Amino acid sequence: MAAASAFSSCSALRSGSVPLRRWRTLLLPAACSTSSPPRSAASDEATIISGTKLAEQVLKEVQRDVESWISFGNKRPHLTVILVGDNPASHTYVRNKIKAAAAVGISSEIILRPKDISQEELLDMTVKLNKDARVSGLLVQLPLPDHIDERTVCNTIAPEKDVDGFHIMNIGRLCLDQPSIIPATAAAVWEIIKRTGIQTLGKNVVVAGRSKHVGMPISMLLHTDGEHERPGGDATVTITHRHTPKEQLKIHTQLADIVIVAAGIPKLITTDMVKEGAAVIDVGINHIHDPLTGKTKLVGDVDFEEVKKKAGFITPVPGGVGPMTVAMLLKNTLIVAKKLIY
Ligand code: GUN
């Protein structure tokens, strides 16, 4: 699949009807193949980046690489997921991971444990799986019950099997610009930016959210040196968080060429906060009550309908970073199976 097919139609560029203010954004390389420029002439709205279509591309590449790996006599990659308790969201995420793994030829298993499992039992199980030659990649789905220390669990997974990239060694290597297993959500954001052709060198980026598994690794990837062993984005990155006053957040986002939001706050980013033509990447996952249907619905952290009228690029929720995160997890599973890092 050509990269450009992950974007909405862009006949505007061909027809010359795109306002001058948006030309710079439109003329970015990957997003603007000659066959399919990235913006609708009629709406003059942001290019909506389809994470679903980009994920299909990545999954196809992973599937091809898995087949090639096996064709040389290697073992089929195998992903083991430990799932503790009955958190419905966790069960859904894990199901999605397992389904996608099967689609690309990666075998997998879920080890289900009750929420009252002791930390000791969980750690013992992890240590055994670390030594199990059948298992190429291992993850423990988070969050864990309160009596279990997540950091201890993440650090017990062997770094070379740590498909989440949450082990202190992988995080440390990420922070030192060394090759490491990159947490899937951060890898997804990076891949979306790169495959869309959004420039990062010298650009202003705001990352709203400083979580160790999402905001921090995204910030690391984007601000670090493009010529280092693990190349970064060479951007100027501002990290904001719950103690950043809203008016300060707005000052930062108004200057940003790229806004990445992983805060878990619906409509945190509104149109007045965004610079015209900016790229807006929404990592938010919020389940809210929809008064129209009476059911819950999934929304991100961005006021999508309004912000898309001003942004140059925008990712939707659902269908943006989420599917790419699953695809990048499977890419990580292949990386660990091939022992490309350790
Ligand atoms: N819970 C939410 N996201 C993740 C993830 O990327 N990995 C794990 N292990 N748990 C999660």
Side-chain angles (χ1 to χ4, degrees), residues 142-173:
L142 305 177
L144 289 167
D146 289 345
H147 65 279
I148 299 176
D149 180 55
E150 289 186 354
R151 179 92 325 261
T152 304
V153 173
C154 290
N155 287 345
T156 304
I157 296 173
E160 68 275 12
K161 292 192 178 187
D162 171 32
V163 286
D164 268 330
F166 292 168
H167 188 282
I168 195 166
M169 180 116 89
N170 280 312
I171 292 177
R173 291 178 66 103

Side-chain angles (χ1 to χ4, degrees), residues 8 54 63 93 117 141 158 212 231 244 274 316 328 333 341:
S8 56
L54 287 175
Q63 182 180 28
Y93 295 145
I117 185 175
Q141 187 66 23
K212 296 299 170 214
T244 307
V274 174
M328 297 313 293
T333 306
I341 309 285

Side-chain angles (χ1 to χ4, degrees), residues 66-82:
V66 166
E67 277 163 20
S68 159
W69 175 247
I70 292 169
S71 74
F72 284 105
N74 296 298
K75 225 172 39 173
R76 183 175 296 282
H78 182 85
L79 174 65
T80 297
V81 179
I82 301 175

Side-chain angles (χ1 to χ4, degrees), residues 90 93 97 139-143 164 166 183-185 213-214 325 329:
S90 292
Y93 295 145
K97 291 170 187 182
L139 71 86
V140 179
Q141 187 66 23
L142 305 177
D164 268 330
F166 292 168
T185 308
H213 295 158
V214 180
T325 299
L329 172 74

